[in-house]
Amino acid sequence: MKKARAAAAPAQTTVYDLAEKAGVSAMTVSRALSGNGYVAKATRARVLAAAEEMGYFPNIAAKGLKRTRTHVLGMLVNELHSPYLAQIVSAVSLATRRHRMDLFIGLTAHDPDDDSPPAIKHMLSGLCDGLLLALPRSRQLIETVERSGLPAVLLDYSRSGTTLDIVRGDNHDSAKAAVDHLLSLGHRRIAFIAGTSHTGQSPERQRGYLDSLKAAGLAGDPALIVQGGFDQAQAFERTRQLLALSVPPTAVFAASDEMAFGAMDAVRTLGLRVPDDVSIVGYDDIPPSMHTQPGLTTVRQSTTEIAEAAVRLLLQRIDDPVPAAAPIEFASQLVIRGSTGPSPSPG
Amino acid sequence: MKKARAAAAPAQTTVYDLAEKAGVSAMTVSRALSGNGYVAKATRARVLAAAEEMGYFPNIAAKGLKRTRTHVLGMLVNELHSPYLAQIVSAVSLATRRHRMDLFIGLTAHDPDDDSPPAIKHMLSGLCDGLLLALPRSRQLIETVERSGLPAVLLDYSRSGTTLDIVRGDNHDSAKAAVDHLLSLGHRRIAFIAGTSHTGQSPERQRGYLDSLKAAGLAGDPALIVQGGFDQAQAFERTRQLLALSVPPTAVFAASDEMAFGAMDAVRTLGLRVPDDVSIVGYDDIPPSMHTQPGLTTVRQSTTEIAEAAVRLLLQRIDDPVPAAAPIEFASQLVIRGSTGPSPSPG
DNA sequence: GTGAAAGCGCTAACAG
DNA sequence: CTGTTAGCGCTTTCAC
């Protein structure tokens, strides 16, 4: 038996406390609680009762030290204000549970600009078995994870040059489909509001936009491509400017729903109507998009599938750490609602 | 020096590896990295270089075992779809960083219905120094934390019967102010859309609503109080029903912005206008609320102050575990935008 | 300034 | 079925 614990700290109950209470060894307690190995029914019951009574919680730290699995996955996210990210996090949380693992989420947005951000430091510190990076914005973050050797999967990353596995929603093809839809409605001057390019998603969507125009034999007008920074207010301003052009666009494709909301606001602020005067398409299909007036035509990503695949892949890599395979990409789906209609000036 | 590590695992770098590389003892490595105790400048530099080169990350688990602080706070949240919760989480993350701590977030929404939810199990397992429970919905969760003895603070909890500290935004007074505002605009039939009552916030807001009516000498009509479950679609339906009453309300006060959005949709679906025919007030002031047409009149909670106070209080309790004091409550602020206007049928 | 020893809570690996 | 021993990576305590 161990010596008495120091009086100071609010004494967390340990296996030794339980062992004493149940009149067995610590090892038996461990076995009884984990369900591994043989323990007599009665002994087990006594241990469980003691654990219940004393409010015992196994110390994951000590567990992890034994190099056995912690059964915890870590997830790093820049911030949570984006509803799309909230969806991804939620889907990953659910998928994690389905695989009987736990999930810890860390935010990187508020990390100091020092070398390696604290959030990841702890994630990499032997706490979790593997790491999910959702929409990673920083190359440095990715490199740090690569160097750590911890199994990791990137979610919705569309750039090259990483040695990590990637699971993502399609960007190019669905963006092309969105613009094809606008073209089929007779639109010819179609603007694109880009987001930031950190994750490579917005550039891919822009590529889809350009390819659609090209396939229709249209030379894209550079004046119709503006930077919205994935920010609603900024998209609002850019749209106002777009509509002030001598030949304004009749449709706007925004690289995110939130920017599309900003665009809709701008259209209305100028006394115009959606979709009568200007059609609007977004990207992500976040929950509010079905509630706007009119509903927002947008691209829905398969967050559930992306999350499930990412977790499954990560668990595979944890079991068998082989080099990354090619990115896994899920098709996205164009959801047509009321914000798109025939061009007011066809052809 | 330690024996060679097993070949199998993707060998995490340890202080012993660093010690060998830098030609010093593990203890010196520890000192050099932590900054505690005396280490020669040159030695320190060598150790830091080795750490950098080998991609070293201290193992938080081993650190925690020594019962010293882990410098990690845990935060438990039911889900993240609510923008208000995202705000709170973000604010807490920022506050945590300001106090040079890290934050791990766990979701409880997908926990199985067993006894103690997994997320909390790990949080309670000696991993973090203290716990923040944001809008805790489950009494059982709170009780589990209470019994664990881990320092903990509840955020935005407005019920009684817990022994834990509470930091929250005011609900009653600001709700009363919101309804006072409607009364001052001449409204007399004012509906209330309640949320769920888990955290006690909605009931408090309802109390403020009732007190406002009472102070104005009005007997509240029970038919004007409906349950929206903090859900936009549900609030939409309830509002349609409210407006179908023989004497419909001229104003609707919803216990959350999202429910207010549902109410606005319902008003417009019936061919009525906001605020000309029906005034709408929400609660929380989430980001989209300033972008609706018209902007939503709502109550802004001081998330930054709440988060900062909660973190500070938690750190105090970690340093000095004394019983909880009275709840700390921050005033909330009525933000008047375009969704409220004079009653079409003044009193 | 630096090192050696011990132990945090837990669980493999071996007895018995 | 149960107990003993040892050690995970780190840091506290004490020596030098």
Side-chain angles (χ1 to χ4, degrees):
Chain A
M1 194 179 321
K2 291 280 162 171
K3 63 182 179 188
R5 335 184 81 265
Q12 200 178 324
T13 314
T14 76
V15 279
Y16 295 102
D17 301 327
L18 262 46
E20 185 175 10
K21 180 139 201 147
V24 294
S25 75
M27 195 56 230
T28 301
V29 170
S30 172
R31 276 193 280 255
L33 294 173
S34 71
N36 299 336
Y38 301 96
V39 183
K41 274 243 154 74
T43 313
R44 184 191 170 79
R46 241 180 317 135
V47 171
L48 292 182
E52 170 65 23
E53 184 180 344
M54 304 185 73
Y56 171 80
F57 279 97
N59 186 317
I60 193 190
K63 253 183 189 152
L65 268 190
K66 267 307 202 184
R67 283 227 154 294
T68 184
R69 299 287 161 70
T70 62
H71 291 284
V72 174
L73 298 183
M75 181 166 191
L76 250 22
V77 174
N78 187 53
E79 45 81 33
L80 291 170
H81 285 117
S82 144
Y84 178 71
L85 257 174
Q87 272 182 39
I88 282 280
V89 172
S90 192
V92 166
S93 170
L94 186 58
T96 306
R97 287 278 193 274
R98 256 201 304 265
H99 289 274
R100 334 216 83 233
M101 307 279 287
D102 277 337
L103 184 70
F104 276 177
I105 302 151
L107 299 190
T108 57
H110 307 306
D111 279 340
D113 282 334
D114 313 336
D115 25 29
S116 39
I120 193 188
K121 196 154 74 187
H122 278 134
M123 288 287 183
L124 291 175
S125 68
L127 168 71
C128 39
D129 296 337
L131 214 49
L132 294 157
L133 307 191
L135 290 96
R137 303 165 55 82
S138 145
R139 285 223 57 88
Q140 199 206 350
L141 177 70
I142 296 176
E143 279 163 19
T144 308
V145 174
E146 285 171 349
R147 291 185 54 203
S148 77
L150 193 68
V153 172
L154 308 182
L155 281 91
D156 281 336
Y157 189 70
S158 291
R159 298 180 65 181
S160 56
T162 173
T163 62
L164 299 175
D165 282 293
I166 295 175
V167 178
R168 66 183 173 218
D170 154 72
N171 289 291
H172 172 274
D173 292 1
S174 52
K176 181 168 181 304
V179 179
D180 286 348
H181 165 64
L182 290 172
L183 289 169
S184 77
L185 288 169
H187 296 276
R188 288 301 172 265
R189 281 188 71 72
I190 303 172
F192 178 70
I193 308 182
T196 55
S197 59
H198 302 101
T199 64
Q201 298 191 107
S202 180
E204 280 300 294
R205 290 167 197 176
Q206 184 168 339
R207 213 165 54 78
Y209 158 82
L210 290 172
D211 284 353
S212 173
L213 294 184
K214 195 182 299 174
L218 295 173
D221 180 349
L224 293 184
I225 299 182
V226 297
Q227 303 299 321
F230 283 132
D231 179 76
Q232 181 160 343
Q234 201 174 327
F236 176 86
E237 280 308 323
R238 293 292 161 280
T239 305
R240 288 182 64 111
Q241 291 163 6
L242 283 169
L243 297 177
L245 291 174
S246 52
V247 189
T250 62
V252 176
F253 175 34
S256 79
D257 281 359
E258 282 152 306
M259 293 198 295
F261 296 159
M264 283 177 97
D265 283 351
V267 169
R268 283 193 284 241
T269 302
L270 295 175
L272 302 171
R273 281 168 312 166
V274 177
D276 310 68
D277 300 303
V278 183
S279 284
I280 307 277
V281 178
Y283 206 105
D284 286 344
D285 194 23
I286 60 178
S289 300
M290 70 186 315
H291 294 297
T292 53
Q293 301 286 344
L296 181 67
T297 295
T298 184
V299 176
R300 180 186 300 155
Q301 306 211 55
S302 315
T303 49
T304 310
E305 286 173 278
I306 293 173
E308 174 64 30
V311 169
R312 201 162 41 217
L313 179 59
L314 181 56
L315 294 178
Q316 274 177 32
R317 294 289 183 260
I318 291 169
D319 273 341
D320 180 20
V322 298
I328 300 177
E329 197 163 289
F330 286 96
S332 306
Q333 183 194 354
L334 183 65
V335 179
I336 297 175
R337 299 204 182 94
S339 69
T340 47
S343 167
S345 57
Chain B
M1 199 178 319
K2 292 280 161 167
K3 65 182 177 185
R5 334 185 81 266
Q12 201 181 322
T13 314
T14 76
V15 279
Y16 294 102
D17 301 325
L18 262 44
E20 186 176 9
K21 180 139 202 148
V24 294
S25 75
M27 197 50 236
T28 302
V29 170
S30 171
R31 276 193 279 253
L33 294 173
S34 70
N36 300 336
Y38 299 95
V39 184
K41 273 239 152 77
T43 314
R44 185 190 167 79
R46 243 180 316 135
V47 171
L48 292 181
E52 171 65 23
E53 183 180 346
M54 305 186 71
Y56 170 79
F57 279 98
N59 186 316
I60 193 189
K63 253 181 189 154
L65 267 191
K66 267 308 199 185
R67 284 228 153 293
T68 183
R69 302 286 160 71
T70 62
H71 291 284
V72 174
L73 299 182
M75 181 166 190
L76 251 23
V77 174
N78 188 52
E79 45 82 32
L80 290 171
H81 286 116
S82 145
Y84 178 71
L85 257 175
Q87 273 183 37
I88 281 281
V89 171
S90 193
V92 167
S93 171
L94 186 59
T96 307
R97 286 278 193 276
R98 255 201 304 265
H99 289 272
R100 334 214 86 235
M101 307 278 289
D102 275 339
L103 183 70
F104 278 176
I105 302 152
L107 299 190
T108 56
H110 308 305
D111 279 339
D113 282 334
D114 312 335
D115 25 27
S116 38
I120 194 186
K121 200 154 70 187
H122 279 134
M123 290 283 186
L124 291 178
S125 68
L127 171 69
C128 40
D129 297 335
L131 215 49
L132 294 158
L133 306 190
L135 289 96
R137 301 166 55 81
S138 145
R139 281 223 60 88
Q140 200 205 349
L141 177 69
I142 296 176
E143 278 163 18
T144 309
V145 174
E146 285 172 349
R147 290 187 52 203
S148 78
L150 194 67
V153 171
L154 308 182
L155 281 91
D156 281 336
Y157 190 70
S158 291
R159 299 180 64 181
S160 56
T162 174
T163 62
L164 300 175
D165 282 293
I166 295 174
V167 177
R168 66 186 173 216
D170 154 72
N171 289 292
H172 173 274
D173 292 0
S174 51
K176 181 167 183 302
V179 179
D180 286 348
H181 164 63
L182 289 171
L183 289 169
S184 77
L185 289 169
H187 296 276
R188 288 300 174 266
R189 280 187 73 72
I190 302 172
F192 178 71
I193 308 182
T196 55
S197 58
H198 301 101
T199 64
Q201 298 190 104
S202 180
E204 280 300 294
R205 291 168 196 175
Q206 184 167 339
R207 213 164 53 79
Y209 158 82
L210 291 172
D211 283 352
S212 172
L213 294 184
K214 194 182 301 174
L218 296 172
D221 180 350
L224 294 184
I225 299 181
V226 297
Q227 303 298 322
F230 282 133
D231 179 74
Q232 181 160 342
Q234 201 173 327
F236 176 87
E237 279 310 322
R238 293 293 161 279
T239 304
R240 288 181 63 110
Q241 291 165 5
L242 283 170
L243 296 178
L245 290 175
S246 53
V247 189
T250 62
V252 176
F253 175 35
S256 79
D257 281 359
E258 282 151 306
M259 293 198 295
F261 296 157
M264 281 178 98
D265 283 351
V267 169
R268 283 193 284 241
T269 303
L270 295 175
L272 302 172
R273 283 168 310 167
V274 176
D276 312 66
D277 300 304
V278 183
S279 285
I280 307 276
V281 178
Y283 206 105
D284 285 342
D285 194 24
I286 60 179
S289 300
M290 72 186 315
H291 294 296
T292 53
Q293 301 285 344
L296 181 67
T297 294
T298 184
V299 175
R300 180 186 301 156
Q301 305 211 53
S302 315
T303 49
T304 310
E305 286 172 278
I306 293 172
E308 174 65 30
V311 169
R312 200 163 41 216
L313 178 59
L314 180 55
L315 293 179
Q316 273 178 31
R317 292 290 183 258
I318 291 169
D319 273 341
D320 179 21
V322 298
I328 298 178
E329 197 163 290
F330 286 96
S332 305
Q333 182 195 353
L334 182 64
V335 179
I336 298 176
R337 298 203 183 93
S339 70
T340 45
S343 168
S345 58

